[in-house]
Amino acid sequence: MSVYDFNQYNTAYYGTSLAAGSLGTCITHTAMTPFDVIKTKIQLEPTKYPWNPLTTSRLLQQQKIPLFTGGIPTAIGYFGQGAGKFGGVEVIKIQLAKYLGDEKVYETKRVVLLWASAVAENIDDIFCGLIPLLCKQVPYTMAKFGVQDILREKLAPFFGIKNMGEVNQSSYATQIGLAVTSGFGA
């Protein structure tokens, strides 16, 4: 019998996870678009754009090279990917907690989180090649969610949350803020 109330993980909770994952991933990856544009220009025309700080300022001054080229597809793609990964991790993590039981999950919470993130990554990238997925993306995703979970616990007091049991009772804006901030930090 569980001493933990799993009823708090309802549609609203999962919706918050999806929204936070979507927004956080979309914002952070789209914000990096100018760096990708600059990197690509340097790679495609190394003699015209050598690798140095002046290249960046030179590209910024040139009106014909929009630095957010590809920003909209990037935002749309990562919006969906963030929902799938963050939402997936939450669903899998909570289902594992129900299955394993309160004490076991508390004792192995980082392992459970890492397992959930690895499964969510595999589901999200099911059509990618298996070898690159297992060698690069799965360990990266496990580390990202491990760090995000630790940051979430450490940053919660800055959002007025004294213990992690209070997160679901916080306002939607507070939950999104904590999730996006810890996700950005990860």
Side-chain angles (χ1 to χ4, degrees):
M1 183 171 144
S2 178
V3 295
Y4 193 76
D5 179 19
F6 286 103
N7 292 326
Q8 65 182 328
Y9 300 109
N10 55 22
T11 307
Y13 175 82
Y14 293 119
T16 302
S17 298
L18 290 170
S22 293
L23 290 173
T25 307
C26 173
I27 291 167
T28 56
H29 283 80
T30 304
M32 295 296 113
T33 302
F35 296 105
D36 285 338
V37 170
I38 292 168
K39 176 191 67 138
T40 302
K41 291 303 277 181
I42 291 170
Q43 289 172 335
L44 291 175
E45 301 178 71
T47 54
K48 186 175 179 182
Y49 302 107
W51 187 254
N52 65 49
L54 297 175
T55 297
T56 302
S57 62
R58 187 171 156 204
L59 285 168
L60 288 170
Q61 292 170 357
Q62 292 179 353
Q63 297 296 327
K64 62 184 178 181
I65 301 174
L67 293 181
F68 277 96
T69 300
I72 291 173
T74 298
I76 292 168
Y78 280 105
F79 189 86
Q81 185 181 39
K85 284 185 184 176
F86 281 83
V89 165
E90 288 304 309
V91 169
I92 295 163
K93 183 172 66 172
I94 290 162
Q95 294 309 311
L96 280 171
K98 287 179 180 177
Y99 177 77
L100 295 172
D102 301 346
E103 282 187 41
K104 188 67 174 172
V105 169
Y106 184 76
E107 293 168 6
T108 60
K109 67 181 180 179
R110 299 287 184 245
V111 173
V112 168
L113 174 72
L114 295 175
W115 180 254
S117 63
V119 172
E121 177 65 39
N122 280 309
I123 291 169
D124 194 56
D125 292 336
I126 199 74
F127 297 108
C128 291
L130 187 59
I131 301 294
L133 180 71
L134 293 176
C135 294
K136 177 190 167 275
Q137 200 62 34
V138 170
Y140 163 77
T141 298
M142 292 170 68
K144 174 177 65 178
F145 279 104
V147 170
Q148 194 250 354
D149 195 56
I150 292 167
L151 286 174
R152 193 170 145 255
E153 290 176 3
K154 301 292 183 195
L155 293 172
F158 295 102
F159 287 85
I161 300 167
K162 292 182 179 69
N163 67 59
M164 294 310 292
E166 297 174 3
V167 171
N168 293 340
Q169 288 76 41
S170 301
S171 72
Y172 186 70
T174 299
Q175 291 178 47
I176 294 284
L178 177 58
V180 168
T181 304
S182 59
F184 183 77

